Amino acid sequence: MARSCGACLARPPRYRRARAALIYDARSRRLLLPFKHGDRTDIARACGRWMARAGSELLAEADLVAPVPLHWRRLFTRRYNQAQLLARVAVREAAVGTRPRLAPDLLRRRRWTGSQSGLRAQERRGNVRQAFDIHPRWMAEVAGKTVLLVDDVLTTGATVEACTRVLQRGGARHVDVLTLARVVRPAV
């Protein structure tokens, strides 16, 4: 059952819908942090399956699935993009006949943004403003399409909002979001 969080009711997002497999809390953090920062890529398979179930409707309606990109420096040090690993599994687990096209490099992170951790919502929005663009080879593919953005955690929504803005400027008909976990905040 889909619900709107208090923060989304108070400040509606640019994207159409978002789904998450888990609520981000102390328990899910113990799963997520080793995956994101501790080379526990083996976790991606189970997490991607959970996401495919939680986001089955979004996957069925998507034309393209795009992971939120890492800056090349972050990718170099981490050696993998956790959002891309999750997206790959979620697409593979989507119902046969409804599998959208995985576009692993649809978006690019044009500039270094550093970590969003510890930043307030307004600081996060400023940190990722104009940080993304559409890879030129995908420009013609985005117009009129429904794009499903995949990320590990939806905290304030600043990153997916910045990505959504770029995709909408590129002509995307709809942008939906699928994450492994989501921070749930009450309305302010």
Side-chain angles (χ1 to χ4, degrees):
M1 171 190 235
R3 295 186 181 125
S4 294
C5 72
C8 292
L9 292 172
R11 182 184 177 158
R14 289 180 167 274
Y15 51 85
R16 181 174 59 164
R17 299 174 294 183
R19 300 290 183 273
L22 306 168
I23 291 174
Y24 191 70
D25 59 14
R27 284 183 284 178
S28 63
R29 191 177 305 119
R30 286 197 312 263
L31 171 74
L32 221 136
L33 292 180
F35 171 53
K36 187 171 183 169
H37 300 293
D39 287 338
R40 289 294 314 274
T41 57
D42 58 301
I43 297 170
R45 183 175 294 146
C47 294
R49 286 181 182 145
W50 297 337
M51 290 171 67
R53 280 195 294 273
S56 61
E57 177 186 353
L58 304 183
L59 284 159
E61 295 176 19
D63 299 304
L64 300 169
V65 175
V68 170
L70 296 178
H71 187 270
W72 68 266
R73 289 188 345 208
R74 174 75 40 91
L75 185 59
F76 181 77
T77 58
R78 189 174 291 164
R79 298 183 311 279
Y80 61 93
N81 178 348
Q82 69 280 1
Q84 185 172 339
L85 296 178
L86 294 169
R88 185 175 294 134
V89 174
V91 166
R92 190 173 53 233
E93 294 293 321
V96 176
T98 64
R99 285 194 183 124
R101 183 174 176 193
L102 179 62
D105 61 342
L106 187 134
L107 292 171
R108 301 183 299 185
R109 192 175 292 242
R110 301 179 341 182
R111 64 176 177 78
W112 177 255
T113 57
S115 176
Q116 295 278 75
S117 182
L119 299 179
R120 294 188 320 260
Q122 185 174 345
E123 294 169 325
R124 285 174 179 247
R125 286 190 294 273
N127 191 39
V128 293
R129 187 170 289 122
Q130 297 180 352
F132 302 97
D133 68 2
I134 298 172
H135 191 292
R137 76 183 199 96
W138 288 99
M139 277 299 222
E141 297 287 328
V142 172
K145 299 289 192 325
T146 296
V147 179
L148 179 60
L149 280 174
V150 174
D151 206 359
D152 54 355
V153 180
L154 179 60
T155 307
T156 64
T159 301
V160 294
E161 286 280 323
C163 292
T164 298
R165 188 175 295 115
V166 167
L167 291 165
Q168 288 171 338
R169 272 192 250 129
R173 181 172 36 119
H174 297 292
V175 178
D176 294 321
V177 177
L178 179 60
T179 61
L180 175 56
R182 179 177 185 149
V183 172
V184 178
R185 299 184 191 284
V188 183

